[in-house]
Amino acid sequence: NAEYMGGVHSRISRMSARCTYADHGQTLTPQRFYECYTCNFTLERGVGICRGCVKSCHANHRTHALGRINAYCDCGAGGCNLVRQCLAGPARQGGADSDEDEELDERLKNDYGDRRYWDQRYTEMGDEQFDWLGVSLAEVAPIIGAHLSASSRVLMVGCGDSVFSEHLYSQGVRHIVNIDISQVVIEKMRAKYQHCPEMQWITMDATQLIFPDHTFDVIIDKTMLDCMYCSKNPDSSALSLVQNCRRVLAPNGSYVCIAFSNPERVLGTFASAGFALRQPVATLWTSSHNHPSTCEHEFDEPHAHDGEDDDEMDEDEDGEQVSQDANDADVEESEESEEQKEQISFGVFVLGVRV
């Protein structure tokens, strides 16, 4: 009957599916690419899945086609069942698939490394405020507080119109230089914060910094690296960013990177530029919308982090790793609401120059 034949065709489809990671590994290969909202493989996190895994590992999941792009399958990179089956058989030569090009997802049509895109976006927004990743200082202060003091010389790369610098300033961290590639947003922020004379606003490309060597004690990158991963030349742009930042960072300084891209990709980029983690990566959850929050963290004198107290890790019911507070404070667990299920994870990376 029709129901039986439908089941047969479904099983055959899964059996014939092939993960592109088995043939191409982490080589960026032209292929039809997808998001899986069920498993949090999303464009916002910089991860996705191939067509084969959509049919197999993620069958009956909530998926979305991104179009044909150069990518590698993050499901296969994680050692899924399909890639193990494919690796056990013969390799397949050629491209990932031979389908005709299809319409790209709107999010992939923008070059987030292009000044013209951001100038146009901020002009169209007018007085509206935009924050790509709605994370406040209050949420990350327990994690990064050990690396900041009132005397810290701070560089905020890709500042945009985020209120993050404002919150730092209100907590006594005054020596902040904010840079962005968009002159439109820099002029907007300079006018908005005239009452903060020690905070500077400069139009500058973060991949071509003109500051002298070792100028800053702390560099804060809140989704700037994510933007580079969404530019026309993602890997080279991302590497150029962190290499420039390494040059202007003081020898014992800290690079604080807040990003929702794949942690392995983030750490790979930093390792290529000579950075190493100063403390374990903290994984937090937030919505993608800006939400106001207050911070009562005091940034006094800096104190050394011995690197020996790893964050405690728990597993939630879906097997995701969730970091505890970096200062080992007791955090009450609350039941997951429907709103929380729509939240995305992001990582807080604190790095220093590798000796």
Side-chain angles (χ1 to χ4, degrees), residues 217-234:
D217 303 306
V218 180
I219 294 175
I220 299 178
D221 167 351
K222 190 167 80 69
T223 71
M224 181 63 191
L225 188 60
D226 293 318
C227 284
M228 296 296 95
Y229 288 145
C230 294
S231 65
K232 293 295 184 184
N233 301 294

Side-chain angles (χ1 to χ4, degrees), residues 282-301:
T283 303
L284 303 176
W285 291 81
T286 187
S287 71
S288 58
H289 304 289
N290 176 58
H291 52 89
S293 183
T294 58
C295 176
E296 298 180 354
H297 190 93
E298 295 184 1
F299 298 100
D300 295 321
E301 292 304 315

Side-chain angles (χ1 to χ4, degrees), residues 103-253:
E103 185 69 12
L104 276 179
D105 186 285
E106 286 296 326
R107 290 167 294 174
L108 291 169
K109 294 180 180 180
N110 301 317
D111 180 0
Y112 292 109
D114 189 343
R115 171 188 55 78
R116 292 168 297 183
Y117 166 77
W118 290 108
D119 277 346
Q120 179 180 348
R121 179 164 188 162
Y122 286 120
T123 299
E124 293 174 350
M125 287 171 53
D127 293 332
E128 182 183 354
Q129 193 265 341
F130 168 76
D131 203 333
W132 196 356
L133 181 62
V135 56
S136 67
L137 175 62
E139 293 172 273
V140 299
I143 302 169
I144 69 174
H147 306 276
L148 283 163
S149 71
S151 61
S152 295
R153 299 167 298 167
V154 179
L155 173 65
M156 182 75 68
V157 292
C159 61
D161 61 357
S162 171
V163 296
F164 203 87
S165 290
E166 174 190 345
H167 290 171
L168 272 177
Y169 195 91
S170 69
Q171 297 304 309
V173 181
R174 300 296 177 86
H175 306 291
I176 307 174
V177 177
N178 300 275
I179 67 168
D180 198 283
I181 199 172
S182 170
Q183 184 174 352
V184 174
V185 77
I186 287 295
E187 291 178 352
K188 170 185 173 181
M189 299 298 277
R190 186 182 292 136
K192 180 179 179 180
Y193 292 106
Q194 294 183 50
H195 61 286
C196 303
E198 295 165 279
M199 191 155 56
Q200 300 180 53
W201 303 91
I202 303 173
T203 304
M204 191 182 300
D205 185 344
T207 65
Q208 301 179 41
L209 298 177
I210 61 174
F211 301 112
D213 293 358
H214 314 314
T215 300
F216 300 98
D217 303 306
V218 180
I219 294 175
I220 299 178
D221 167 351
K222 190 167 80 69
T223 71
M224 181 63 191
L225 188 60
D226 293 318
C227 284
M228 296 296 95
Y229 288 145
C230 294
S231 65
K232 293 295 184 184
N233 301 294
D235 292 324
S236 61
S237 296
L239 183 59
S240 180
L241 165 68
V242 296
Q243 286 176 333
N244 270 263
C245 287
R246 176 183 174 174
R247 182 183 63 77
V248 302
L249 185 65
N252 295 318

Side-chain angles (χ1 to χ4, degrees), residues 321-341:
Q321 293 289 319
V322 182
S323 176
Q324 297 295 314
D325 184 271
N327 287 341
D328 297 326
D330 293 330
V331 179
E332 290 185 306
E333 296 182 0
S334 59
E335 293 185 2
E336 184 180 40
S337 65
E338 289 300 317
E339 181 180 352
Q340 286 175 314
K341 291 180 181 179

